[in-house]
Amino acid sequence: MKIIAIGLNYASHNKEMKRTFESEEPVIFMKPDSALLKNGKPFFIPDFSEEMHYETEVVVKISRLGKNIAEKYAHRYYDEVTVGIDFTARDLQRRQKEKGLPWEVSKSFDNSAPIGKFVPKETFSDIQNINFQLDINGNTVQQGNTKDMIFSVNKIIAYVSKFFTLKIGDLIFTGTPAGIGAVAINDHLEGYIENEKLLDFYVK
Ligand code: MG
């Protein structure tokens, strides 16, 4: 399986990143399957970064094989959602950006993609209007609503599938809203969609 992640998909986050332009197409990057962290296992901060940031994101799971999927049919290609963290070694990413180099070392390293428990997308009446949030040590640090996505889930699926065949089990991280920040050892991360806690793990 593969993990496709969307960058810069919320205007509020783009502002905090001091992006002055909006991309006309989704910004995409990938994480390998070795990036997955599941079942509440702890995340160990790797020693190559001094600035490990959480990015809380709604994650959708692909349920059908597809290529060149039309936007109007895209809703048929995913069936479950959860909340996940797109861990980013911000210091490394900054260095890569300065040199014009790809982001992978800063975003796609082992265990950089913790995911919560999946729930059927029908749990929610409108996938483009769900609240999600991250609490760290009991304090809410990041909150978003999928209605604020620049590119909707269906638009993302249509765009991504032009380049990459989507397979059953592939995951799409749909971007983070404002409120990113650093994690520290012993932090307790809890991710919610609406009032349901789907993600729960510790940083070690
Ligand atoms: Mg992200």
Side-chain angles (χ1 to χ4, degrees):
M1 58 81 66
K2 57 188 172 291
I3 302 168
I4 293 159
I6 308 303
L8 305 166
N9 202 25
Y10 287 82
S12 61
H13 170 63
N14 298 354
K15 208 170 155 192
E16 76 182 344
M17 297 300 283
K18 302 191 168 55
R19 288 290 282 217
T20 50
F21 65 93
E22 238 165 59
S23 177
E24 284 166 22
E25 279 151 351
V27 174
I28 73 171
F29 60 96
M30 308 252 250
K31 294 182 185 242
D33 58 0
S34 47
L36 268 187
L37 183 66
K38 296 190 285 191
N39 305 321
K41 289 201 182 114
F43 172 78
F44 290 88
I45 298 179
D47 57 12
F48 54 72
S49 176
E50 302 295 322
E51 196 182 4
M52 184 57 64
H53 276 189
Y54 59 81
E55 294 186 1
T56 313
E57 311 200 0
V58 168
V59 179
V60 303
K61 191 192 271 183
I62 298 297
S63 55
R64 261 173 89 164
L65 182 77
K67 171 86 180 164
N68 289 320
I69 300 162
E71 185 184 334
K72 65 178 174 179
Y73 299 123
H75 65 279
R76 299 180 185 172
Y77 287 81
Y78 70 100
D79 61 351
E80 293 183 305
V81 295
T82 191
V83 64
I85 305 292
D86 167 21
F87 270 123
T88 303
R90 197 69 68 196
D91 45 355
L92 265 184
Q93 187 192 35
R94 204 176 297 120
R95 291 205 287 275
Q96 295 296 100
K97 278 181 174 174
E98 280 165 11
K99 294 182 202 155
L101 294 173
W103 291 352
E104 271 79 359
V105 292
S106 68
K107 276 194 171 276
S108 309
F109 53 87
D110 287 357
N111 302 326
S112 60
I115 52 166
K117 184 178 66 143
F118 280 93
V119 290
K121 71 173 182 203
E122 290 76 23
T123 310
F124 312 103
S125 57
D126 179 3
I127 201 76
Q128 290 305 147
N129 187 11
I130 56 174
N131 292 297
F132 60 103
Q133 74 177 57
L134 178 69
D135 290 3
I136 299 186
N137 306 326
N139 302 312
T140 300
V141 294
Q142 202 173 18
Q143 266 178 320
N145 186 295
T146 52
K147 70 174 165 16
D148 297 322
M149 285 182 183
I150 296 169
F151 299 101
S152 67
V153 174
N154 290 344
K155 279 201 161 73
I156 291 167
I157 288 174
Y159 181 74
V160 161
S161 69
K162 284 197 238 180
F163 303 94
F164 307 106
T165 299
L166 293 178
K167 294 187 174 180
I168 294 171
D170 287 349
L171 302 179
I172 300 179
F173 276 62
T174 58
T176 197
I180 57 159
V183 292
I185 288 174
N186 294 327
D187 278 349
H188 182 201
L189 276 66
E190 296 168 291
Y192 294 80
I193 294 184
E194 297 296 346
N195 293 320
E196 200 168 347
K197 182 161 79 171
L198 300 176
L199 179 70
D200 188 338
F201 69 99
Y202 283 85
V203 172
K204 291 293 175 191

